[in-house]
Amino acid sequence: MSIIKLHDLYFKPFISENEIKSIVKYLAQKVKRDLPKDEVPIFVGILNGCFLFAADFIREFEGNCEVSFVKLASYQGTSSTENVKQLVGINEDLTGRTVIILEDIIDTGTTLQEIYNIFRNKNVKQLKVATLFFKPDVFRKELPINYIGKSISDKFIVGYGLDYNGLGRNYSEIYQLSTPPKMKNIVLFGPPGAGKGTQAEFLKEMYNLVHISTGDVFRFNIKNETELGLLAKKYMDEGDLVPDEVTINMLKAEVEKNANAKGFIFDGFPRTQSQAEALDAFLTEKGEQINGMIALEVPEDLLVERLLERGKTSGRTDDTDEGKIRNRFNEYNTKTAVLKDYFDAQNKYYGINGVGSIKEITQRIAKVFDTL
Ligand code: AMP
């Protein structure tokens, strides 16, 4: 899930498809439990927003039921000053029936109040209201809301049937209004020795970005013999990945140090699926996102050659021993390479030929960056 733009506004992921599913299921079960054993209720969905909720709700409802949809429409009465609200769509005789109104969201409650009053005059046996979302801070009516899926703060939401100016109803998740992203963030990706660090140095100057290399941060900590450094050293010396929790917390701290950055180049992070998910969640929280993963693609034989060459001058113990280098590739292939699919699934993967002169490769990256 990433940030979406509808018309002029940006929305960030707020409630996942899975969470919605379990809320809907919980509501359907609770409504069922409260009904007399053989009661056949009529569920009345309030259009347009509730169509997805109603569809999922009735499939979770175990037992017989009827379903109907209504819409509250204003129409001009006979005198020009009259503005009458009319309920369109209900044709059933509701006398003596249990009617349960299904709402996607209740905020001030004004619309619901009108609908509620209309139904109350139809000699029903029982009238109840079930809503997926509820905004307690703005609700101003006296009527009872019998079932609430989730109470949320008074922020505009879209998705799962809810729209902003017509758009957004088809998303499976709920999104919340957000500020426009201020940053342009990229993940510079590729196996060890692909040239990520070298390219990052050029890109950060060209685009005024902050470069975070997790490998560099670890090495800095090792050099300064910090607690983090001591912890990371035993993994790095072997060419193993440092545990996710340590790395993720460190990365977040680095981002927080540069809160006003125009964007970040993440180099050497994320390296595992859970790092990628943590990064997405962390940026989303800030109304920001990864704009693209730019991957430097270089054949492995060439990489080993490059690393051994670099090892002659870099002072990096993990660059001098071919066994350790092979282990880093193994870590890359088993844990990191899958991130290509992760970003590809979001249409954010950009593969670049990483063989050529440094300048050529910078130009290839810049060409992609400019389109993000
Ligand atoms: P690098 O400088 O990116 O080649 O990283 C050197 C070493 O630092 C790796 O082999 C790991 O031991 C450790 N490291 C750097 N970034 C990460 C990360 N995102 N997750 C786990 N370990 C990392």
Side-chain angles (χ1 to χ4, degrees):
M1 292 168 77
S2 45
I3 288 174
I4 57 171
K5 188 176 183 206
L6 303 172
H7 299 296
D8 55 329
L9 297 181
Y10 291 86
F11 296 85
K12 60 183 180 182
F14 180 43
I15 303 173
S16 72
E17 194 174 351
N18 270 342
E19 191 183 347
I20 297 171
K21 232 185 170 130
S22 66
I23 297 171
V24 173
K25 187 169 182 166
Y26 152 84
L27 278 174
Q29 288 174 345
K30 199 153 179 337
V31 168
K32 173 67 185 168
R33 264 204 308 273
D34 291 351
L35 288 170
K37 192 157 168 287
D38 293 319
E39 180 80 42
V40 177
I42 301 187
F43 292 114
V44 179
I46 312 297
L47 291 174
N48 290 326
C50 88
F51 71 105
L52 286 182
F53 168 48
D56 287 343
F57 178 95
I58 60 168
R59 275 179 290 192
E60 291 291 352
F61 183 80
E62 289 177 9
N64 288 332
C65 63
E66 292 178 32
V67 186
S68 204
F69 289 93
V70 296
K71 199 170 182 154
L72 195 64
S74 311
Y75 77 99
Q76 221 58 50
T78 43
S79 99
S80 59
T81 50
E82 216 178 352
N83 185 13
V84 186
K85 287 273 169 69
Q86 186 198 23
L87 207 52
V88 208
I90 204 97
N91 306 309
E92 295 89 342
D93 178 12
L94 299 177
T95 311
R97 302 297 305 269
T98 291
V99 174
I100 300 174
I101 295 175
L102 296 181
E103 262 286 26
D104 43 306
I105 183 163
I106 298 175
D107 39 49
T108 62
T110 308
T111 312
L112 181 67
Q113 179 80 68
E114 305 216 22
I115 292 170
Y116 195 84
N117 292 344
I118 295 172
F119 276 101
R120 242 195 342 218
N121 293 329
K122 289 188 184 286
N123 296 318
V124 299
K125 174 167 133 197
Q126 206 186 173
L127 182 59
K128 287 187 167 187
V129 178
T131 186
L132 180 58
F133 299 117
F134 180 64
K135 289 184 172 175
D137 299 341
V138 287
F139 186 65
R140 290 280 166 273
K141 304 287 173 185
E142 292 297 323
L143 72 158
I145 312 293
N146 306 83
Y147 303 98
I148 292 173
K150 187 181 173 92
S151 292
I152 57 172
S153 64
D154 181 26
K155 292 213 178 106
F156 193 80
I157 59 170
V158 295
Y160 195 67
L162 292 128
D163 74 310
Y164 164 54
N165 234 341
L167 296 185
R169 297 193 197 275
N170 56 319
Y171 287 87
S172 310
E173 312 85 14
I174 295 285
Y175 292 78
Q176 189 180 57
L177 184 62
S178 180
T179 48
K182 292 181 204 66
M183 296 178 175
K184 198 150 137 183
N185 299 311
I186 59 163
V187 172
L188 205 49
F189 192 67
K196 302 185 292 290
T198 308
Q199 292 301 331
E201 288 305 313
F202 290 104
L203 293 172
K204 79 173 193 199
E205 294 302 327
M206 284 167 71
Y207 295 104
N208 197 7
L209 303 170
V210 173
H211 171 211
I212 300 181
S213 154
T214 40
D216 284 350
V217 180
F218 282 132
R219 280 183 288 275
F220 177 84
N221 278 276
I222 290 171
K223 200 168 128 214
N224 290 288
E225 297 180 340
T226 67
E227 205 177 316
L228 176 66
L230 290 175
L231 180 72
K233 190 172 183 336
K234 57 178 188 283
Y235 298 98
M236 288 179 72
D237 280 350
E238 293 306 314
D240 291 334
L241 292 189
V242 178
D244 279 342
E245 202 192 286
V246 177
T247 311
I248 290 167
N249 286 337
M250 178 188 85
L251 181 103
K252 287 182 181 174
E254 291 297 313
V255 171
E256 298 295 1
K257 274 187 210 163
N258 297 284
N260 295 321
K262 285 179 68 180
F264 291 93
I265 303 168
F266 295 104
D267 160 11
F269 189 97
R271 255 177 160 104
T272 63
Q273 173 101 12
S274 75
Q275 289 182 12
E277 286 164 6
L279 180 61
D280 268 346
F282 177 60
L283 291 176
T284 295
E285 191 66 25
K286 301 176 176 304
E288 301 294 340
Q289 62 183 336
I290 293 297
N291 296 74
M293 163 181 267
I294 301 182
L296 298 171
E297 295 168 341
V298 183
E300 194 166 312
D301 290 343
L302 193 57
L303 291 170
V304 178
E305 225 174 88
R306 281 192 195 173
L307 287 173
L308 288 170
E309 192 56 39
R310 180 170 86 184
K312 291 178 187 161
T313 53
S314 70
R316 282 180 58 168
T317 50
D318 60 349
D319 277 350
T320 42
D321 177 321
E322 197 164 334
K324 285 176 187 171
I325 291 175
R326 289 285 169 199
N327 187 39
R328 284 160 66 200
F329 283 116
N330 187 42
E331 289 281 76
Y332 178 82
N333 289 323
T334 55
K335 297 177 183 162
T336 308
V338 294
L339 294 181
K340 174 178 177 179
D341 296 336
Y342 180 90
F343 285 93
D344 213 14
Q346 303 180 30
N347 288 323
K348 288 180 178 174
Y349 181 87
Y350 301 88
I352 300 264
N353 177 5
V355 184
S357 74
I358 291 174
K359 202 165 161 207
E360 271 166 358
I361 297 166
T362 307
Q363 280 164 356
R364 289 176 201 153
I365 297 175
K367 211 168 142 195
V368 171
F369 188 91
D370 290 336
T371 67
L372 297 177

